[in-house]
Amino acid sequence: MYDFLLSDEARVLRSEVRDFVKTIPRQLLLDMDADRVQFPKEFLAEAGKRNLMGCRYPREWGGRGLDWVSTVMVMEEIGTLGYIMACTFGVGAELVCDAIIRHGTDAQKEKYVKPLLKGEIFAAECLTEPRGGSDFFGTTTTAEDKGDHYVINGQKRFIVGGEGADYFLVYAKTDPHAKAHKSLTCFIVDRSEGVIVDYIYGLMGCRGGGAARIVFKDAKVPKENIVGSLHGGYAVFNTMMIPERLGTAAMTIGAARPALEVATGYTTRRKAFGREIAKYQGVSFQVAEAAMLLDACRSMAYTTSRAVDAGVPENEIRRLVSESKKFITESCQKVVHNSMQVMGGIGYTNVFPVERIFRDVRLASIWTGTNEVMSLIIASEWYRKYMDDRASGITRDCENDAVEAFAEGEKIYE
């Protein structure tokens, strides 16, 4: 349905991604959900061999030179394997690589981006700490200048891909006395002595994605591993919010899609009171709502990705990306809810994958910035736009389009 938004090269890539998705063994998905597989290295290695990761990056660093529209398409298709598969796919290739491509040196790109996009090494982003995740500037991890290197101490947790990562993108305080926006630095930290990784068990869903607790104990990091500038971590973080949140939105569409497909097939075969349950409005209307929401999600994801590709001003992108992340993740959770509901009790069992999808997509509205944080950003940017538009006089003042608009003593604000 959205083919008209894709270039010829992107449509070819979509066929490649779909072919790849079909090759993934069912048993891998089951073993990951059962915590028998802690991190799908073979899956990522094969994706790298097929040149499917980081499609929007320059060819010289291992990408395909495509755009955000193509990236959204890829993330949706990978997401059909399961939300956690898309998470592990995106964390290294769409988050860590993005930071290094946009802010790193050529030497860093050669050493860390090219082999990752080939599927030869793996990476994770370390953002959340035990004290919280949304409070980015409250980071307590520190990096102390030791001359030719820094020494990092602190903890990060819920780090998707951490168990299998060969290196980490880490934000740490390098100037505890500076203002929050100027106190952090972004580092590439190799997995080495001083970096302790513990796989986290007991997750409700999204198991097998290498979610880990990372402890840094006097971890040595050479100065050439600073990404961007010293005390310039905010600039890196700020640009990464696009791949973090828009990527999350796109992969959630893919993760929810199979639930609706399974439910649609089930309702055309399951009979009650002498006919297929799809013929009852109580069922078909829930399927219709889910289909509508998925289409609305795709429309928002593709519109936002086109805006990013077009270079729309940063404040507008912040609002669009935040709206996309919030609307799509919540709508897709509703899609899965409806899918389970029309299937009845069987949907609540592991006879069908809907119960696993239900558990997995619950993460979508929490990670990469909670949806409450998205609401804060949306509200801030919307009010800013409203005030700017009023000040510029570019729009009609519709407040006056009422019979008693100018009645004395009626409009009281204090």
Side-chain angles (χ1 to χ4, degrees):
M1 181 181 295
Y2 291 89
D3 284 14
F4 67 93
L5 290 171
L6 300 177
S7 65
D8 291 341
E9 191 173 359
R11 283 193 286 271
V12 170
L13 175 58
R14 183 178 60 184
S15 295
E16 293 180 37
V17 176
R18 287 177 172 175
D19 287 343
F20 169 61
V21 165
K22 292 176 184 176
T23 70
I24 303 305
R26 161 184 177 269
Q27 194 59 46
L28 174 60
L29 307 183
L30 300 181
D31 286 345
M32 289 174 65
D33 192 46
D35 266 328
R36 289 189 292 267
V37 170
Q38 296 180 359
F39 184 72
K41 286 188 176 183
E42 293 77 11
F43 161 72
L44 295 175
E46 184 61 27
K49 288 178 183 177
R50 296 180 182 225
N51 193 210
L52 301 181
M53 297 195 291
C55 71
R56 71 180 181 278
Y57 302 132
R59 294 180 185 275
E60 65 180 306
W61 304 120
R64 296 196 182 206
L66 296 177
D67 52 17
W68 255 108
V69 170
S70 304
T71 299
V72 163
M73 173 274 295
V74 170
M75 295 309 297
E76 176 181 348
E77 294 301 328
I78 293 294
T80 62
L81 284 167
Y83 193 71
I84 191 58
M85 300 298 277
C87 290
T88 57
F89 182 95
V91 161
E94 302 298 335
L95 299 185
V96 175
C97 281
D98 195 87
I100 301 173
I101 287 287
R102 292 171 65 94
H103 300 277
T105 64
D106 284 354
Q108 290 172 347
K109 296 170 191 176
E110 186 72 35
K111 182 177 180 180
Y112 293 105
V113 171
K114 288 179 75 172
L116 188 146
L117 295 182
K118 289 180 181 178
E120 296 171 353
I121 61 175
F122 313 102
E125 179 198 22
C126 294
L127 196 59
T128 299
E129 296 194 353
R131 61 172 301 281
S134 296
D135 182 11
F136 171 68
F137 294 111
T139 295
T140 58
T141 298
T142 62
E144 186 178 355
D145 191 341
K146 293 294 185 179
D148 63 343
H149 68 278
Y150 280 84
V151 171
I152 296 183
N153 284 283
Q155 293 187 41
K156 307 286 183 175
R157 72 171 175 183
F158 304 142
I159 307 305
V160 172
E163 194 280 334
D166 296 292
Y167 68 93
F168 305 89
L169 196 72
V170 180
Y171 295 91
K173 280 194 178 294
T174 44
D175 187 349
H177 306 295
K179 292 182 179 180
H181 288 60
K182 298 180 179 180
S183 65
L184 301 177
T185 301
C186 182
F187 295 90
I188 298 171
V189 181
D190 291 305
R191 188 166 185 161
S192 57
E193 185 179 353
V195 180
I196 303 165
V197 180
D198 292 318
Y199 179 67
I200 296 177
Y201 291 87
L203 299 179
M204 171 180 164
C206 287
R207 302 165 186 157
R213 179 185 299 104
I214 317 293
V215 178
F216 301 99
K217 290 188 176 181
D218 295 328
K220 293 183 179 180
V221 182
K223 287 194 169 179
E224 59 264 29
N225 278 27
I226 290 176
V227 179
S229 62
L230 181 63
H231 315 314
Y234 173 66
V236 180
F237 173 81
N238 203 35
T239 58
M240 286 187 69
M241 291 306 96
I242 295 175
E244 281 218 354
R245 291 161 183 175
L246 185 51
T248 288
M251 68 176 69
T252 311
I253 298 171
R257 196 174 90 196
L260 180 57
E261 292 171 350
V262 169
T264 301
Y266 181 83
T267 58
T268 60
R269 296 191 294 266
R270 173 71 171 178
K271 291 184 178 181
F273 308 104
R275 59 177 179 165
E276 294 83 1
I277 61 175
K279 295 180 179 178
Y280 295 104
Q281 289 182 348
V283 171
S284 64
F285 280 13
Q286 292 198 64
V287 172
E289 180 185 39
M292 174 189 70
L293 288 173
L294 271 187
D295 279 337
C297 288
R298 286 196 190 93
S299 294
M300 180 168 274
Y302 278 112
T303 298
T304 301
S305 62
R306 284 289 294 270
V308 177
D309 288 334
V312 168
E314 181 180 313
N315 62 320
E316 293 182 40
I317 291 297
R318 275 170 53 83
R319 179 165 64 88
L320 285 173
V321 168
S322 299
E323 288 172 348
S324 296
K325 198 270 181 179
K326 178 178 170 62
F327 177 81
I328 291 173
T329 57
E330 292 177 0
S331 296
C332 284
Q333 287 167 354
K334 176 63 172 171
V335 168
V336 180
H337 167 86
N338 284 20
S339 300
M340 180 177 285
Q341 191 69 21
V342 299
M343 293 179 69
I346 197 71
Y348 196 66
T349 73
N350 62 8
V351 172
F352 289 95
V354 177
E355 65 86 23
R356 172 177 55 80
I357 297 171
F358 190 94
R359 289 185 284 108
D360 286 353
V361 299
R362 186 60 186 85
L363 175 63
S365 56
I366 297 174
W367 88 316
T368 69
T370 66
N371 282 8
E372 289 71 28
V373 170
M374 298 305 100
S375 292
L376 285 171
I377 296 171
I378 294 164
S380 173
E381 296 300 338
W382 176 258
Y383 276 103
R384 187 203 308 272
K385 182 180 186 302
Y386 168 80
M387 298 304 293
D388 287 348
D389 287 352
R390 280 186 65 85
S392 67
I394 63 173
T395 58
R396 178 185 178 86
D397 188 354
C398 298
E399 183 179 315
N400 296 327
D401 295 337
V403 173
E404 299 292 339
F406 300 102
E408 289 188 21
E410 293 300 326
K411 294 183 178 180
I412 301 172
Y413 301 111
E414 294 183 358

